[in-house]
Amino acid sequence: ALVVAAYYRYIDMYPTAATSSNTAAAARAFDGVVDKLDNSGWLTSVVNPMGPWVIDGAQSPEGQSFVGMMWAARTKVGL
């Protein structure tokens, strides 16, 4: 989610740098993140930096903020 947000922010600042293949890859990554949202809107399969690394059913405020950043950046670009 954070990488996708960074890409969308980048093409917002430098629209001429956007390529169709990179934008398509970002769209696929966006869809992949959205597929990992549960019914209440929380991102699933999140990383716990203290280990174990991936926890199903857990909630991560950091991961959730990355989803918000990703969505806002994509909306601002107009995609």
Side-chain angles (χ1 to χ4, degrees), residues 1 3 10 12 19 21-22 25 27 30-31 39 42 46 57 67 75 77:
V3 172
Y10 178 72
D12 181 46
T19 65
S21 62
N22 287 344
F30 179 91
D31 292 341
N39 290 337
W42 278 91
V46 295
V67 170
T75 301
V77 172

Side-chain angles (χ1 to χ4, degrees), residues 1-61:
L2 184 57
V3 172
V4 176
Y7 176 74
Y8 286 134
R9 290 291 183 201
Y10 178 72
I11 64 171
D12 181 46
M13 293 170 48
Y14 304 101
T16 59
T19 65
S20 59
S21 62
N22 287 344
T23 303
R28 286 191 305 275
F30 179 91
D31 292 341
V33 172
V34 171
D35 286 345
K36 291 292 184 178
L37 296 176
D38 66 12
N39 290 337
S40 62
W42 278 91
L43 185 63
T44 61
S45 300
V46 295
V47 172
N48 178 1
M50 303 302 288
W53 290 103
V54 176
I55 303 174
D56 288 325
Q59 295 177 338
S60 166

